[in-house]
Amino acid sequence: MATLIASNLKVAGQLGLDSLDGTYAELCTNATESEVQNLIRVVYRQVFGNDHILQSERFVSAESQLRQGNLSVKDFIATLAKSELYKEKFFYCNNNQRFVELNFKHLLGRPPHDQQELAYHTQLCEEQGFYAEIDSYLESEEYERKFGSNIVPYFTGFSVDEDAQTTNFTRMFNLYRGYASSDRGQVGGQNARLNRQLAVSQVSSITTPTGRGESKTLPQKAFGGVGNQAARMYRIEATKIMGASLRPVIRRSNTAYLVPYEQLSEKVQQVVRSGGKIVSVRPA
């Protein structure tokens, strides 16, 4: 089955995808110094979300070990992703939902598939901490299958093939805002981008990224296509099994919650963690 590469689209330039040509960086056995230097640049750009890294912030010792063959590309990425610098750029300053979104982008090259995946990693971060959350990507079967030990993660969310979910393609635009944009300088700041879409299984619309050398007016609608969604209230209807461990007859209680948009994902996760099942989520 043929793979759709983002840069093959007719509007790739307008969408900021012209640089995503389907190639990736891999460390080969007999790589030249120039090739190693280029790979190191790609790693920094991918792991730190295209944010500028000062010379004094570079991981000189780990770079040297990579050159000498004492570290694999995956080991080098783990060093960066588990560093205090990564914490300062993405962990301390963001809520857990936004932090998880960025980890998916930086380490697996895609957005979270669904609310369950987002909730799992958010809970992992809350209960087991920063390092367990990072390890969950690097030690996953998906990472091994896609990148192995010596390929730098790249944006697989923009490729559509037999293993990909097509919703990834549109949702990636909420996380990737063009080659000139960094993950610390996007419109939306520290807010998670996919909370509502994942909670209601919504496919997002595509908005042309800014920051490509041309002036653009800030869209009046959110990327998901709902005007002023941050000011809206949502009704969550949930059902919970009651007394299942006490009697063979199971009865269920139905409960409805009215929450603002910014609390939507947190409330959904709270219900799921307490054993509830989400019946519906809709605007109030």
Side-chain angles (χ1 to χ4, degrees):
M1 181 177 179
T3 299
L4 172 63
I5 302 299
S7 60
N8 289 341
L9 295 174
K10 185 177 180 179
V11 293
Q14 298 174 16
L15 295 176
L17 303 177
D18 41 343
S19 63
L20 306 178
D21 58 3
T23 61
Y24 53 82
E26 181 176 9
L27 183 61
C28 300
T29 304
N30 298 318
T32 65
E33 176 61 22
S34 176
E35 290 170 335
V36 173
Q37 285 283 4
N38 180 67
L39 181 136
I40 289 173
R41 283 193 294 270
V42 173
V43 171
Y44 278 115
R45 187 170 65 235
Q46 176 67 25
V47 174
F48 289 109
N50 208 36
D51 199 29
H52 178 66
I53 302 298
L54 300 174
Q55 185 65 33
S56 60
E57 295 175 324
R58 291 178 65 114
F59 295 77
V60 178
S61 176
E63 289 181 23
S64 177
Q65 292 182 63
L66 179 68
R67 287 191 185 88
Q68 296 169 13
N70 296 327
L71 286 182
S72 66
V73 172
K74 180 180 176 181
D75 294 332
F76 183 53
I77 289 171
T79 300
L80 272 58
K82 292 182 177 182
S83 67
E84 190 65 23
L85 183 61
Y86 192 87
K87 288 182 181 180
E88 290 173 357
K89 288 181 178 293
F90 306 113
F91 182 55
Y92 298 138
C93 57
N94 292 311
N95 60 37
N96 286 338
Q97 288 83 10
R98 177 60 176 160
F99 178 58
V100 166
E101 284 181 353
L102 292 173
N103 291 338
F104 269 99
K105 178 186 176 184
H106 299 162
L107 303 178
L108 290 183
R110 66 169 177 86
H113 284 320
D114 50 37
Q115 177 64 29
Q116 182 178 5
E117 196 169 50
L118 179 63
Y120 168 79
H121 282 274
T122 301
Q123 185 175 359
L124 181 66
C125 186
E126 292 172 351
E127 295 182 354
Q128 298 186 36
F130 172 84
Y131 296 107
E133 162 65 4
I134 297 299
D135 280 336
S136 69
Y137 303 95
L138 298 176
E139 302 304 323
S140 67
E141 182 277 334
E142 179 180 355
Y143 187 99
E144 180 62 27
R145 171 170 49 84
K146 285 181 175 179
F147 313 121
S149 296
N150 286 309
I151 293 177
V152 181
Y154 56 95
F155 293 145
T156 61
F158 280 130
S159 299
V160 180
D161 57 26
E162 59 186 357
D163 296 321
Q165 296 190 28
T166 53
T167 53
N168 281 357
F169 187 86
T170 55
R171 286 175 182 160
M172 271 298 293
F173 282 92
N174 288 14
L175 303 183
Y176 177 87
R177 303 306 300 157
Y179 186 77
S181 173
S182 79
D183 285 339
R184 293 206 306 155
Q186 294 180 3
V187 172
Q190 301 171 2
N191 297 323
R193 309 298 194 263
L194 301 176
N195 276 354
R196 182 180 183 278
Q197 295 172 28
L198 295 174
V200 300
S201 298
Q202 180 188 46
V203 178
S204 62
S205 58
I206 298 175
T207 304
T208 304
T210 56
R212 296 183 54 76
E214 53 187 276
S215 176
K216 290 186 177 292
T217 302
L218 184 65
Q220 296 303 305
K221 292 187 177 181
F223 298 147
V226 180
N228 197 23
Q229 67 177 19
R232 301 184 68 169
M233 298 294 290
Y234 289 83
R235 185 178 188 273
I236 303 173
E237 186 176 348
T239 182
K240 185 174 181 181
I241 297 175
M242 303 294 292
S245 62
L246 302 178
R247 58 179 73 87
V249 177
I250 299 174
R251 63 183 175 88
R252 298 174 180 270
S253 66
N254 293 320
T255 307
Y257 306 92
L258 194 63
V259 297
Y261 167 73
E262 62 269 16
Q263 297 177 18
L264 182 61
S265 180
E266 180 180 353
K267 189 62 180 180
V268 168
Q269 294 169 40
Q270 181 183 343
V271 171
V272 172
R273 286 198 297 268
S274 65
K277 179 179 180 181
I278 303 298
V279 176
S280 65
V281 180
R282 62 178 185 272

